[in-house]
Amino acid sequence: MASSIHDLARHLNISIGTVSRALNGRADVNADTRQRVLDAAAKLNYSPNQSGRSLRRGSTHSIAFMLQPHPGDQQYGEPFFIPFLTGLQAKLAESGLDLIVVMGAPGDYQQERLRRVVETRRADAVVLAWTRREDERIDYLTRVGFPFATLGRSRSGGKSYPSLDLDFEKAGAEAVDRLVARGHRRIAAIRPSLDLNFGYLFLAGYRKALRRHGIEVDPELIASGFINEAGGYEVTPGVMNSKDPPTAIIFNNDAMALGGCKALAEMGIKPGHDMAVIVIVDTPLCRYFSPALTGFRPPLEPMGRRLAEMLLASIPAYAGEEGPRTIREVWPLELIARDSD
Amino acid sequence: MASSIHDLARHLNISIGTVSRALNGRADVNADTRQRVLDAAAKLNYSPNQSGRSLRRGSTHSIAFMLQPHPGDQQYGEPFFIPFLTGLQAKLAESGLDLIVVMGAPGDYQQERLRRVVETRRADAVVLAWTRREDERIDYLTRVGFPFATLGRSRSGGKSYPSLDLDFEKAGAEAVDRLVARGHRRIAAIRPSLDLNFGYLFLAGYRKALRRHGIEVDPELIASGFINEAGGYEVTPGVMNSKDPPTAIIFNNDAMALGGCKALAEMGIKPGHDMAVIVIVDTPLCRYFSPALTGFRPPLEPMGRRLAEMLLASIPAYAGEEGPRTIREVWPLELIARDSD
DNA sequence: CGTTTTTCCGTAAACGTTTACGACAACACA
DNA sequence: TGTGTTGTCGTAAACGTTTACGGAAAAACG
């Protein structure tokens, strides 16, 4: 079954060294023999054993994406990640690299899986998502000197790694501006618990814009819950039961919005009619909800491609010529108006 | 950085062979030296290089799950898969195995990624999902003799591999029974295009039950679209515009139902009020939709665990004693009544 | 034709493990 | 004391690659 480079060499009556050089496109091999090697490889459908190759090369030629759950979250926010991963994978494939997705176990707070990937050298670099404001994963990776890039910013780890993020602060402010322009003064914000950085940034923009409009920030209108449907569902009644209830709600993502709208419906409140709703990070879900939720659509697939570029450029072994490499980028978020506000 | 077994041996002044044996728990090593080795390994935080190990052992100690897109589907149906993967990963971890998720590129019809995993021996076995009625991936894997298991049945590949599936046929029939009992006679079925086997099975049950109730199967009430929100949205108006429109719709999964309900809303039809809706494969989404959709909730996490067991038992290198091993299982699907029918 | 350069290829070491084999000492047994 | 057994460990080969090095033949040059 497993045809090795030795089989090829024996079959062609040449040495394995030559076969390897021919396969790897080195210059010091006759054009004719190279062709014979390539033909034979195709015929015996040879492909190099990954373990042998990476053992010798000292690199695995693959990048790991860590899919890590948050406590209480069963869903990993993965509908969000798939287009991102598609872009990541596409760009990596252009460089002949493999993308592997590593699942963290639920409750894996000590980043057991991450450590495992790093320590057993299963990948040459990792990509982290859902960065936290203080992120121990980033601390760990910088400490051990393992290459990585992040989707999202963090205060951890200095500025020594590539990161790509969205301008949640601006989006939060823009959402408030839009609602105020439509006459709302009581605007609630529902965001994830934990110190996920995008929730923090969103709230900062929200606060800033509110103050700019001379509206007092009311803690009763700010709530946090698990970043999924259940979280939105559980937390929304709280802000509705405040002394002076909101006329508009900004949800941090679409899953929370879905749960929140469910809670509203149960209270007899119709989103888009009795209550304005805006979502900061939406997915196709928002479009097919009734009413269609207005929100900010992140360009996830291009982001994946870009972060792959940035990561590759930051790894000496992969980077071609060391050009000027951007270390961090923050992309704008564009509002798509629909029917809910 | 990378501490190898040689460093350990040098540090302890013993041979690398002994270190390896101590680490791997072999019998022929003194209890005292074993402890010293383990202590040193912890201190130098050594962990074996995966490439070296799998090169020598001839196995990678990891299982690959293929996450493959379907044409026109941007979303991979992955919210569905995550709990399944959680169970898979949990069970594999119990045996010290790693789970890696390999992303197929969109439009990767030739299973380029699957071939790559197999040929470069990146994993010891693969897990396939979303099996088709005739599945070329299964043909390929059986042809080359690579171990695998499937979530879902197929007619391909004989009965030589473990598979775990849900009883979509029974669910389809049960949904019809329930609707008929509530007085419906015009019942539509909306299912994925392509020959995804669960769509086929669902439809078979639907047809059978309809006939059992003496109701003629009307082709105008059966439609297929992409298995996501857009698919349901695009296809639903078609069945509504038939000469004798349905009073109930069974959707094959929740994403299609979401899109379908959107289309209904735009036609002024309220699901759960003017139209009964049942979902065959639901996720938490259904619960938080308004109205909450009644549907069949698959026990995904236990299914992941079980399939891992079945896969492991089918691989001679992993299986302990060759006990009686179940090759295929079909699990029942339980209806959860909510507000939409 | 002699010398130098170029082209091409084989040899062998190395990557980090695991493991078959044998060696040696200690011990048990007669 | 001699023989066999047991416990413990070192040696070295092997897994499948890549690549530095050197050598032989061919080509280029005078």
Side-chain angles (χ1 to χ4, degrees):
Chain A
M1 250 312 302
S3 79
S4 81
I5 205 172
H6 290 93
D7 303 328
L8 265 189
R10 208 172 317 124
H11 181 257
L12 290 169
N13 242 6
I14 57 181
S15 78
I16 62 167
T18 306
V19 174
S20 176
R21 278 189 300 264
L23 256 23
N24 288 356
R26 301 201 100 72
D28 55 348
V29 46
N30 186 297
D32 177 54
T33 49
R34 156 165 298 130
Q35 195 51 54
R36 284 174 49 226
V37 169
L38 257 35
D39 291 346
K43 203 180 102 197
L44 304 189
N45 79 354
Y46 164 82
S47 61
N49 178 297
Q50 189 59 32
S51 302
R53 165 173 281 186
S54 56
L55 176 57
R56 168 62 216 223
R57 283 202 183 153
S59 78
T60 64
H61 249 231
S62 64
I63 307 291
F65 176 83
M66 305 299 303
L67 190 56
Q68 285 177 316
H70 291 291
D73 181 15
Q74 292 289 356
Q75 291 198 70
Y76 292 58
E78 71 300 324
F80 177 89
F81 288 133
I82 296 294
F84 172 77
L85 286 174
T86 305
L88 202 61
Q89 127 90 28
K91 199 69 192 179
L92 291 177
E94 286 176 15
S95 304
L97 295 174
D98 288 321
L99 171 68
I100 66 180
V101 179
V102 178
M103 300 265 310
D108 176 17
Y109 307 131
Q110 305 310 313
Q111 316 128 9
E112 186 205 331
R113 311 300 301 173
L114 176 59
R115 299 181 66 97
R116 198 175 159 82
V117 168
V118 170
E119 286 171 2
T120 64
R121 275 157 195 75
R122 230 170 218 296
D124 297 343
V126 305
V127 175
L128 261 32
W130 259 354
T131 48
R132 302 190 178 202
R133 199 151 162 70
E134 316 281 350
D135 203 310
E136 44 188 0
R137 301 170 301 173
I138 294 178
D139 289 333
Y140 166 67
L141 289 171
T142 53
R143 179 152 30 88
V144 300
F146 198 84
F148 70 102
T150 64
L151 177 63
R153 281 163 281 176
S154 169
R155 296 201 303 190
S156 298
K159 302 223 175 299
S160 55
Y161 58 93
S163 80
L164 177 56
D165 204 354
L166 294 166
D167 199 343
F168 295 107
E169 190 168 346
K170 181 143 162 287
E174 212 174 310
V176 169
D177 289 346
R178 180 177 169 92
L179 291 169
V180 169
R182 300 184 162 213
H184 295 279
R185 310 276 303 172
R186 299 291 295 165
I187 303 172
I190 293 187
R191 56 161 197 147
S193 49
L194 313 170
D195 59 342
L196 291 172
N197 206 16
F198 71 86
Y200 179 89
L201 294 167
F202 153 59
L203 208 64
Y206 162 86
R207 284 205 168 97
K208 208 175 288 182
L210 238 35
R211 291 211 192 85
R212 181 156 36 76
H213 291 288
I215 301 175
E216 190 189 358
V217 176
D218 183 352
E220 285 206 340
L221 295 189
I222 300 176
S224 47
F226 290 134
I227 183 166
N228 55 18
E229 290 90 351
Y233 180 74
E234 285 162 11
V235 140
T236 300
V239 307
M240 293 309 297
N241 290 333
S242 63
K243 286 182 294 290
D244 186 5
T247 60
I249 305 182
I250 309 175
F251 288 96
N252 216 145
N253 81 339
D254 59 344
M256 297 188 85
L258 200 72
C261 288
K262 175 73 173 174
L264 291 176
E266 289 181 359
M267 303 173 80
I269 300 169
K270 267 171 58 184
H273 192 257
D274 313 320
M275 174 70 63
V277 169
I278 293 186
V279 179
I280 295 295
V281 183
D282 82 3
T283 68
L285 207 76
C286 289
R287 189 171 148 209
Y288 292 103
F289 193 73
S290 297
L293 304 174
T294 101
F296 297 84
R297 166 74 46 93
L300 291 170
E301 210 252 324
M303 290 176 73
R305 302 184 73 93
R306 180 64 187 131
L307 191 57
E309 285 176 3
M310 293 165 65
L311 176 60
L312 261 39
S314 80
I315 303 179
Y318 290 159
E321 329 80 56
E322 296 275 332
R325 48 188 197 198
T326 319
I327 277 298
R328 14 204 63 187
E329 293 185 6
V330 176
W331 288 16
L333 224 27
E334 191 191 358
L335 184 134
I336 300 180
R338 300 201 186 87
D339 311 327
S340 66
D341 67 327
Chain B
M1 251 310 303
S3 79
S4 82
I5 203 172
H6 289 94
D7 302 328
L8 264 189
R10 208 173 315 123
H11 182 256
L12 289 169
N13 241 5
I14 58 180
S15 78
I16 62 166
T18 305
V19 175
S20 177
R21 278 189 301 263
L23 256 23
N24 289 356
R26 301 201 101 73
D28 55 349
V29 45
N30 187 298
D32 178 52
T33 51
R34 155 167 297 131
Q35 196 51 55
R36 282 173 50 225
V37 169
L38 291 177
D39 290 347
K43 202 180 103 198
L44 304 189
N45 78 354
Y46 163 82
S47 61
N49 178 297
Q50 189 59 32
S51 303
R53 165 174 281 185
S54 55
L55 177 57
R56 166 64 216 222
R57 282 202 183 151
S59 79
T60 64
H61 250 230
S62 63
I63 307 290
F65 177 84
M66 305 299 304
L67 191 56
Q68 285 177 315
H70 291 292
D73 181 15
Q74 292 290 356
Q75 290 199 68
Y76 293 57
E78 71 300 326
F80 178 89
F81 288 133
I82 296 292
F84 172 76
L85 286 174
T86 305
L88 202 59
Q89 127 89 28
K91 199 69 192 181
L92 292 177
E94 285 176 15
S95 304
L97 296 173
D98 287 322
L99 170 68
I100 66 180
V101 179
V102 179
M103 299 267 309
D108 176 17
Y109 307 131
Q110 306 309 314
Q111 318 128 9
E112 185 205 332
R113 310 301 300 175
L114 175 59
R115 298 182 66 96
R116 196 174 160 81
V117 168
V118 170
E119 287 170 2
T120 63
R121 272 153 198 80
R122 230 169 218 297
D124 297 343
V126 305
V127 175
L128 261 33
W130 258 352
T131 48
R132 302 189 177 205
R133 200 152 162 69
E134 316 281 349
D135 202 311
E136 44 187 0
R137 301 171 299 172
I138 294 179
D139 289 332
Y140 166 68
L141 289 170
T142 53
R143 181 153 26 91
V144 300
F146 198 84
F148 70 102
T150 64
L151 178 63
R153 282 164 279 177
S154 168
R155 296 202 303 191
S156 299
K159 302 223 176 298
S160 55
Y161 57 94
S163 79
L164 178 55
D165 204 354
L166 293 167
D167 200 342
F168 295 107
E169 190 167 346
K170 181 143 163 286
E174 212 173 310
V176 169
D177 289 347
R178 180 175 168 94
L179 291 168
V180 169
R182 300 183 162 213
H184 297 278
R185 308 280 299 174
R186 300 289 295 163
I187 302 172
I190 294 188
R191 56 159 198 150
S193 49
L194 314 168
D195 60 341
L196 291 172
N197 206 17
F198 71 85
Y200 178 89
L201 294 167
F202 153 58
L203 208 65
Y206 163 85
R207 284 205 169 96
K208 208 174 290 183
L210 239 34
R211 291 210 193 84
R212 180 156 37 77
H213 290 289
I215 302 175
E216 189 189 358
V217 176
D218 182 352
E220 286 206 340
L221 295 189
I222 300 176
S224 47
F226 289 134
I227 182 165
N228 53 19
E229 290 90 351
Y233 181 73
E234 285 162 11
V235 139
T236 300
V239 308
M240 292 309 298
N241 291 331
S242 63
K243 288 183 293 290
D244 186 5
T247 60
I249 306 183
I250 309 174
F251 289 96
N252 217 146
N253 80 341
D254 58 345
M256 297 189 84
L258 200 70
C261 287
K262 175 73 174 174
L264 292 176
E266 290 180 358
M267 303 173 80
I269 299 169
K270 267 171 59 183
H273 192 257
D274 314 319
M275 174 71 63
V277 169
I278 292 186
V279 179
I280 295 297
V281 183
D282 82 2
T283 68
L285 206 76
C286 289
R287 188 172 148 208
Y288 292 103
F289 193 73
S290 299
L293 304 174
T294 100
F296 296 83
R297 166 75 45 95
L300 291 170
E301 209 252 326
M303 289 175 73
R305 301 184 73 94
R306 180 64 188 133
L307 191 56
E309 285 176 4
M310 292 165 65
L311 175 60
L312 261 40
S314 79
I315 303 179
Y318 291 158
E321 330 78 57
E322 296 276 333
R325 48 188 197 196
T326 319
I327 277 299
R328 13 204 64 186
E329 292 185 6
V330 177
W331 287 18
L333 224 27
E334 190 191 357
L335 184 133
I336 300 179
R338 299 202 186 86
D339 311 327
S340 66
D341 68 325

